Amino acid sequence: MKEYDHLSIEKKWQKEWEKKKVYKTLNTSKKKKYYVLDMFPYPSGVGLHVGHPKGYIGSDVFARFKRMQGFNVLHPMGYDAFGLPAEQYALEHHIHPRKAVLENVKAFEAQLNKIGFSYDWERRVNTTDPEFYRWTQWIFLKIYNSWYNQKTNKAEPIEKLIKIFEKSGNVGVNAAGTFTSEFVAKEWNEKIEKEKQDILMNYRLAYEGYSEVNWSPVLGTVLANDEVVDGPTGPVSERGGYPVVKKEMRQWFLRITAYADRLAKGLDTLNWSDHIKEIQKNWIGKSVGAEIDFKIKDGQNIRIFTTRPDTIFGVTYLVLAPEHPALLNLKSKIRNWDAVSSYINKTKLITPEERMDSKEKTGVILRGIVAINPANGEEIPVWIADYVLVNYGTGAIMAVPAHDERDLEFAQKYILPFNEVIIEVFGDILKEPIRRDVVKAIIVRNNKVLLVKENNEQYSLPGGSYELGESDLSALSREIREETEYKNFKIKDYLGSVERFYRKDMKNNTGENRVRRIAGYLVEITNEEKEKIQHDGWITETKWFDMKEAIEVLKKTDYNAEALFIKKILENNHCFVSEGILVNSGKFNGFSSEEAKIKITKEVGGKIVTKYKIRDAIFARQRYWGEPIPLVHTKDGIIKPLGDKSLPLKLPDVKSYEPTGTGDSPLAGVKEWMKKGLETNTMPGWAGSSWYYLAYMTQGISNFQFPIFKNNTKAKRTKEAIQYWKNVDMYVGGQEHATGHLLYSRFWHKVLKDYNLVPTEEPFQTLRNQGMILGEDNRKMGKRWGNGVNPDDVVKYYGADTLRVYEMFMGPFESSLPWSTDNIIGSRRFLDKVWRLQEKVVTKKMSRTVLDISTNTKLEALLHKTIKKVGDDINNFAFNTAVSSMMILANEMEKQEEIKQAHFEMFLKVLNPFAPHMTEEIWKFLGNKTLLVNEKWPKADPKKMLELEVKIVIQVNGKVRADCMIILNTLENDVIEMVKTLPDVEKWLLGKEIKKVIYIPNRLVNLVIF
RNA sequence: GCCCGAGUGGUGGAAUUGGUAUACACGCAAGACUUAAAAUUUUGUGACCGUAAGGUCAUGUGGGUUCGAUUCCCACCUCGGGCACCA
């Protein structure tokens, strides 16, 4: 047997596969399609470390497995080379980014190819290739020339909207956007072109706007929120750690908010990890609430947004964001305008970060302004405060200190009234409550709470029912005096009310259903008071408890109301923010929050609306290295899109591509460019990655063609290709893209779907996230800590197959785990072992000894079980256990004198996706003329998995006491009788009576004795 | 603060629907081969008590349900991730 020389074997087979084009994928096949995709990398130039290929190895194992299972597998790779990282690299090394990208791609690909991936390289894409970005630009124009019709719930051509305007104005139009004023057809038709275009800009899915953005003076560019991280002295850029400040700038935006609902709903149909879905869901931030108008006395309405219209009777003031537009109209009426305007200016000066960091709430009352609560006609003050954000909801809120922590904090600071309107309920909610109100005193001394033990073994606290016409306080004082002998007590605080439901005793049919409202008060007594409690002699014992302890005791005795009150004292927070039952709410008293929300909104003339946290995406960079935005600014100030025939709008060659530092893109310095009036912003890094998975579907980007011209064969073929591949079936990549790429590409895909350019609603059906490989020091691997491990070195020393097996064996695919140079040897030893097994392989004719039938069937059973397990595990991305089961099989095979060739070949097939080179070599050595990569996945035969004998465990009282072998499927009674006679079991049964026997067939017997 | 996820040997980790906890691998120890080393290989390896047979205790902590709990329920602790004045 020759030596396992991984270097020559791997080189040989990589050449052979390339020569025979075994990974070339055709778009026509009788086989079922399967699309396995990796998130494509940006070729950074510093080279790969062993962490980078982990995801690629996982998807490659999966793709090879699917291929062997008989699928037509699309498994491509390409490069995301536009954007900041590529440009930064070029700037640092003083070479043109185009050149840098080409060099880096070459180096990158050389490294990848050593690991033996099964990519169809003919489909390679590069986002910086004009043939590629021509379509990025084309899709952008499609988005630009669209508006979102909320009646049909999809994007539609802007021409259609113009026709509607010409015919009937915008009155009946329900479009996504912020445009509020109305016009009729006549008004529209009389407008000049510039005015029309300005209005349309409010409807387009790609629109120009001005906004405060993250401006990095050093990088000379604007950054997206997810490119900014917290630094020690404020926000800094994620890349480079340069300081970031706020700056108002002209921007392009994509109206992703129009798709918020579809993006949220679509998540339910996806086979993604709950974790990623959760992140996207939070990011979209859907919440259903009501918009309600509060009338300003002698003035206009203020529209507020709230998710809790059921608390409207508890409103004690209104708050507007300092930037709220209504302030201008109110200006003349505001008597303290000086104070108000200085507060507004102050808010403008501080950054949003500072605004969020400052824990103390601030605000100014608007003197002279009075609002009217539409629910009860009450007059309430209006404030401005920076804890209300202008760009969420309506920029104004109704404040309910009793049921919102932020409002409470504000109300406490400025001494504003507190009005409780919701109380908590235990048990069921009765439609028509029958109340028996009680009041409870939580008596404390030195932070200890007094618990009173009644005869019926329950703990209680002093308290009782009201007498006719009594207020809370007088009833409480009376009850305390009656039940205790305390004279020196102080009612310190109101703890809120709760409602408790008591069902009548159905069994004995006694009592009645009733609801009790329990009001809680904190009562403090002085140390001098003696512990005297007396009440008709039914109290047997009193005790002072530590507060936490008291809660536990009360919970056990079902006195939840008291426990809740004590918890409130401990947390020093009397704000009940959950839903409950309405009180102090006029005719809505007794309603549940859920019911009241709808009824009250209707009553006050409000509207149920849905709001989202997600913001429109900024789609512009003031940089050179990005796709040019194909728009022209005319002299009249109108923006016009380029025609399809003018695409691609190529990035011009410039001498200096460094940022100008003024905020303008380097394109603003190109004469030719400016003469044509072309847009100077370029697209952000995520543009190309939002549709690249479609580009792979045709064989080479030069064959890609969206249907621009009718009857174009290229366009027809592209359409067929997209219809065939549909969407990505398995997508593998890092979870850091949860709120970026993965959201944006879903958005673009949905726009394309609205134009029937793609057949599915979602681009990525299943998503798997690989964990990182950390350095041996448990820190992030890379240049920063100098702990990077180069895959080239590992491939050279141990081989690509060992690298592949080890990275899959390390642990669960999704976990981040440290690299270990100690542990990798185990994977190499495993492959060495498999290599040596060749020697034991015999064909039928060659058999030197008579194979022991029983050990042979045993091995066969293990083999078939392993085939099944490896297949199942790969499907579940549980590669680590797949490898481990193959190790068990190899260990077992090693113990055999001889291995049947057919058995060993089946083993090679299941190992092939993990170690393609070595298995291919052995396959050939065994005399096969075909290539192993083209072989079919072996079938696991369930009949052959069964073993004649199985081990069962015998437990006595649930503890394992013995085990023994039985013939498969022995009858229950026979097993139990036999098991009782085992010496290890018998001694435990001696003199005891068996109460119960639990029998799990072929697994376990549990004898229960006493 | 709120919302997710996770805590298992010296280490990475495994365990189907509640049914032998610690598979597989690394490391370590002892033996074989060797002049020697490396490589390979054999055996052992959760903790404690015991010469042994055997027993007791162990899946972050404390309770509960069950014949039986890493798995289900409750409370708490620690770590990781996401969001963070979103009304």
Side-chain angles (χ1 to χ4, degrees), chain A residues 372-538:
Chain A
I372 295 159
N373 186 336
N376 55 12
E378 221 172 83
E379 296 192 349
I380 49 172
V382 181
W383 288 67
I384 58 167
D386 67 1
Y387 81 93
V388 174
L389 306 174
V390 73
N391 49 6
Y392 182 79
T394 58
I397 62 152
M398 60 180 214
V400 187
H403 304 292
D404 184 284
E405 285 179 25
R406 294 151 301 183
D407 296 340
L408 177 69
E409 203 186 312
F410 192 77
Q412 281 171 343
K413 179 165 175 186
Y414 293 104
I415 317 172
L416 292 156
F418 174 104
N419 188 10
E420 185 183 46
V421 291
I422 306 286
I423 62 176
E424 197 169 353
V425 184
F426 295 110
D428 307 349
I429 292 175
L430 269 189
K431 272 264 155 82
E432 288 171 53
I434 317 133
R435 282 232 175 65
R436 230 214 253 150
D437 291 356
V438 295
V439 62
K440 282 280 176 188
I442 312 296
I443 298 190
V444 298
R445 179 166 73 191
N446 298 338
N447 275 327
K448 295 252 180 190
V449 62
L450 182 69
L451 291 189
V452 180
K453 197 177 183 188
E454 299 172 12
N455 278 340
N456 62 3
E457 296 295 309
Q458 289 192 325
Y459 284 89
S460 184
L461 290 157
S465 304
Y466 298 76
E467 283 173 5
L468 202 67
E470 253 185 337
S471 72
D472 272 16
L473 291 185
S474 57
L476 184 69
S477 304
R478 179 180 51 74
E479 286 289 346
I480 294 172
R481 275 194 297 272
E482 279 174 17
E483 293 199 12
T484 73
E485 285 185 358
Y486 297 153
K487 290 187 182 72
N488 294 317
F489 60 84
K490 213 163 73 187
I491 298 171
K492 281 199 75 172
D493 207 349
Y494 171 57
L495 301 168
S497 300
V498 296
E499 210 161 83
R500 179 85 169 93
F501 175 76
Y502 296 89
R503 193 177 283 287
K504 73 173 176 186
D505 187 344
M506 300 298 262
K507 216 162 148 193
N508 302 317
N509 202 25
T510 54
E512 55 178 0
N513 282 344
R514 62 195 162 90
V515 171
R516 248 184 180 186
R517 190 182 74 95
I518 307 166
Y521 285 87
L522 172 63
V523 176
E524 212 172 48
I525 60 164
T526 57
N527 285 334
E528 291 80 58
E529 286 287 358
K530 293 263 159 51
E531 281 156 32
K532 278 184 190 164
I533 302 271
Q534 57 172 42
H535 193 280
D536 301 340
W538 53 262

Side-chain angles (χ1 to χ4, degrees), chain A residues 195-351:
Chain A
E195 286 171 327
K196 285 181 180 175
Q197 288 300 332
D198 285 349
I199 289 170
L200 287 173
M201 198 56 96
N202 290 287
Y203 288 90
R204 292 179 188 276
L205 288 185
Y207 61 94
E208 192 185 37
Y210 292 81
S211 89
E212 229 176 35
V213 291
N214 305 303
W215 164 249
S216 167
V218 181
L219 297 175
T221 191
V222 169
L223 300 168
N225 280 334
D226 36 300
E227 286 171 333
V228 180
V229 294
D230 284 332
T233 56
V236 295
S237 64
E238 192 185 19
R239 244 153 230 294
Y242 304 113
V244 172
V245 295
K246 291 283 158 183
K247 187 176 177 180
E248 181 99 348
M249 274 194 135
R250 186 176 68 87
Q251 298 294 332
W252 282 93
F253 291 86
L254 296 192
R255 205 180 296 280
I256 191 171
T257 48
Y259 285 82
D261 195 45
R262 275 164 73 183
L263 288 168
K265 280 192 181 135
L267 287 173
D268 296 336
T269 68
L270 297 175
N271 182 9
W272 293 13
S273 71
D274 291 341
H275 180 64
I276 297 279
K277 285 200 212 177
E278 186 77 18
I279 294 174
Q280 285 209 353
K281 215 171 147 186
N282 288 343
W283 187 265
I284 297 165
K286 181 177 177 172
S287 62
V288 179
E291 280 185 359
I292 297 170
D293 289 340
F294 277 65
K295 197 167 171 46
I296 300 294
K297 215 174 171 185
D298 312 317
Q300 284 184 323
N301 288 340
I302 297 285
R303 179 164 292 182
I304 60 94
F305 174 70
T306 179
T307 54
R308 295 298 302 274
D310 53 316
T311 62
I312 198 164
F313 287 87
V315 173
T316 54
Y317 59 102
L318 293 189
V319 189
L320 310 185
E323 303 91 339
H324 198 286
L327 286 168
L328 284 175
N329 297 328
L330 295 171
K331 189 175 169 180
S332 58
K333 291 196 200 109
I334 297 171
R335 294 207 307 264
N336 59 336
W337 180 252
D338 284 354
V340 171
S341 77
S342 95
Y343 183 78
I344 294 171
N345 289 333
K346 219 168 73 195
T347 352
K348 270 186 192 159
L349 285 175
I350 59 170
T351 65

Side-chain angles (χ1 to χ4, degrees), chain A residues 531-649:
Chain A
E531 281 156 32
K532 278 184 190 164
I533 302 271
Q534 57 172 42
H535 193 280
D536 301 340
W538 53 262
I539 290 162
T540 55
E541 194 187 316
T542 65
K543 197 181 168 190
W544 290 93
F545 278 92
D546 183 60
M547 295 236 207
K548 273 189 184 164
E549 211 181 327
I551 292 175
E552 292 305 310
V553 170
L554 288 167
K555 270 186 183 165
K556 277 181 190 155
T557 60
D558 204 29
Y559 270 71
N560 289 307
E562 285 89 337
L564 195 94
F565 291 141
I566 296 174
K567 213 173 147 198
K568 282 184 176 181
I569 300 169
L570 275 175
E571 287 167 1
N572 195 22
N573 175 11
H574 307 175
C575 195
F576 178 61
V577 296
S578 309
E579 302 194 344
I581 288 280
L582 274 74
V583 293
N584 302 328
S585 297
K587 63 177 178 181
F588 297 99
N589 281 345
F591 278 92
S592 70
S593 288
E594 197 186 356
E595 217 173 338
K597 278 182 183 179
I598 298 160
K599 295 220 160 121
I600 290 183
T601 304
K602 211 173 163 189
E603 174 87 5
V604 300
K607 197 170 77 181
I608 300 288
V609 292
T610 306
K611 299 279 174 189
Y612 301 91
K613 280 196 240 178
I614 191 170
R615 302 283 148 79
D616 282 339
I618 296 173
F619 194 71
R621 291 298 126 94
Q622 290 68 43
R623 303 292 296 227
Y624 171 71
W625 195 235
E627 300 89 341
I629 294 174
L631 297 173
V632 181
H633 298 255
T634 69
K635 277 171 194 151
D636 315 324
I638 296 170
I639 292 164
K640 281 190 171 162
L642 288 188
D644 289 342
K645 283 181 190 171
S646 315
L647 300 182
L649 172 61

